[in-house]
Amino acid sequence: MAIFEGVCTALVTPMNADESVNFEKLEEIIEMQIEGGVDALCICGTTGEASTLSHEEHIEVIARAAKAINKRVPMIAGTGSNSTETAVYLSVEAEKAGADALLQVSPYYNKATQKGLIRHFTAVADAVKLPIVLYNIPGRTGVNIKPETQAYLMKNVENIVAVKEASGDISSIAKISKLIGDNGTIYSGNDDQATAILSVGGKGLISVISNIAPAYAHEMVCSYLKGDVEKSREMQLNALDLIDALFCEVNPIPVKAAMNMMGLNVGPLRSPLCEMDPANEARLKKALIDFGIEVK
């Protein structure tokens, strides 16, 4: 059974002016997301700047989010690392903290072989009881989790049940769908490819745009799942300019800027990420306004 069907927001981690985590604001945006109708929340992923959090902060963010969500929707916690030992540690602690599932990015920088990836993900899965979502994003990690590797893991490791596919390779994703059959679930990791991935068997979107438009993202995906393909397609195409603006600089720089423009006050980024180039900021503001989102 899928962890969720529909839209899961890859939530930002709000910061105070001094770059400490703003837990009060975290609880506030969680409420906004749930009221917006999202089907799940992903905490401490790429959009949540997990790579700049200390281990203590990482676990506290997961624990505080789990308490705020209170099982109203599934909470997927990002606990991946380029070190197997660290990934196991974070995963065990996230399970204790109340996560419902785990997001496991492929080890970055190391560029493990497919054999090494199988060993890594299996070690994490063996350390916990929670369902695990693989996260394939070779543009950031430098290595692709091949379709055959994904299928092997979903067929042979009981709690590896899904993948967040952000490779951008629709042909490869179609192959994954064919290989895994009913043994796993595919989620789009790219907002601009949501309907395309749904068309080859995907069950949902782990989304950045839903940070600013949760109800829209939910309706776009769920319309497709309910059979209204034309409506979903129109919504996907209508959102493309805003999606492009949200990725005109590396995520989560633009989405945090957008939320601040909207008055959500999620604060600054942690270094080495920094504020947007003024020209890109102007482009993002225009895209928000054209989409019908009020900016302050």
Side-chain angles (χ1 to χ4, degrees):
M1 181 179 292
I3 297 167
F4 74 93
E5 292 190 5
V7 165
C8 172
T9 301
L11 202 68
V12 303
T13 299
M15 304 287 181
N16 295 303
D18 63 358
E19 298 187 13
S20 61
V21 177
N22 186 338
F23 289 104
E24 183 177 346
K25 180 62 65 172
L26 176 66
E27 294 171 2
E28 181 182 316
I29 62 174
I30 284 172
E31 291 305 314
M32 183 191 88
Q33 288 293 314
I34 293 175
E35 289 173 9
V38 299
D39 305 283
L41 287 166
C42 181
I43 308 297
C44 292
T46 302
T47 311
E49 298 177 80
S51 58
T52 65
L53 298 175
S54 69
H55 291 173
E56 293 76 17
E57 288 174 320
H58 198 136
I59 298 306
E60 186 174 3
V61 170
I62 291 169
R64 296 280 283 268
K67 183 176 180 181
I69 295 167
N70 194 28
K71 303 297 182 182
R72 288 177 288 174
V73 296
M75 188 190 86
I76 303 171
T79 55
S81 173
N82 67 324
S83 161
T84 302
E85 182 181 8
T86 301
V88 167
Y89 166 75
L90 290 173
S91 298
V92 169
E93 293 302 312
E95 185 170 42
K96 293 176 186 175
D100 298 301
L102 303 174
L103 182 69
Q104 282 293 311
V105 70
S106 55
Y108 39 86
Y109 187 76
N110 307 61
K111 298 189 74 172
T113 64
Q114 298 301 304
K115 179 180 178 180
L117 291 176
I118 290 171
R119 184 175 296 173
H120 170 85
F121 290 126
T122 301
V124 176
D126 286 347
V128 295
K129 296 180 180 178
L130 295 179
I132 289 173
V133 182
L134 305 174
Y135 183 11
N136 190 32
I137 184 165
R140 282 186 182 262
T141 65
V143 63
N144 182 49
I145 312 174
K146 292 183 178 180
E148 294 82 2
T149 301
Q150 294 188 31
Y152 175 87
L153 287 164
M154 285 188 235
K155 289 178 178 179
N156 292 280
V157 184
E158 183 178 5
N159 55 332
I160 295 181
V161 301
V163 62
K164 175 184 176 182
E165 254 295 339
S167 66
D169 187 341
I170 294 297
S171 296
S172 179
I173 295 166
K175 186 175 183 180
I176 294 163
S177 185
K178 180 179 179 179
L179 290 174
I180 66 174
D182 296 329
N183 292 289
T185 303
I186 299 172
Y187 297 118
S188 174
N190 291 334
D191 287 283
D192 62 346
Q193 293 184 330
T195 53
I197 291 175
L198 291 170
S199 76
V200 294
K203 296 298 183 184
L205 166 68
I206 300 180
S207 174
V208 173
I209 193 176
S210 60
N211 277 281
I212 60 175
Y216 186 97
H218 169 80
E219 186 176 3
M220 179 180 74
V221 173
C222 289
S223 293
Y224 194 105
L225 295 174
K226 292 175 182 177
D228 195 343
V229 174
E230 183 61 22
K231 179 179 181 180
S232 179
R233 184 188 67 84
E234 289 178 0
M235 293 182 76
Q236 174 79 87
L237 296 178
N238 182 59
L240 284 181
D241 287 347
L242 178 56
I243 293 168
D244 286 346
L246 286 171
F247 290 91
C248 68
E249 292 189 18
V250 68
N251 180 50
I253 293 174
V255 71
K256 267 196 157 178
M259 294 175 79
N260 288 330
M261 290 177 192
M262 294 165 62
L264 294 173
N265 302 320
V266 295
L269 300 135
R270 275 198 177 171
S271 184
L273 299 183
C274 63
E275 66 278 358
M276 293 186 76
D277 177 86
N280 286 335
E281 189 172 12
R283 173 187 172 186
L284 175 61
K285 185 174 182 179
K286 181 180 185 300
L288 287 167
I289 293 169
D290 290 348
F291 194 73
I293 294 174
E294 182 179 355
V295 298
K296 305 296 184 183

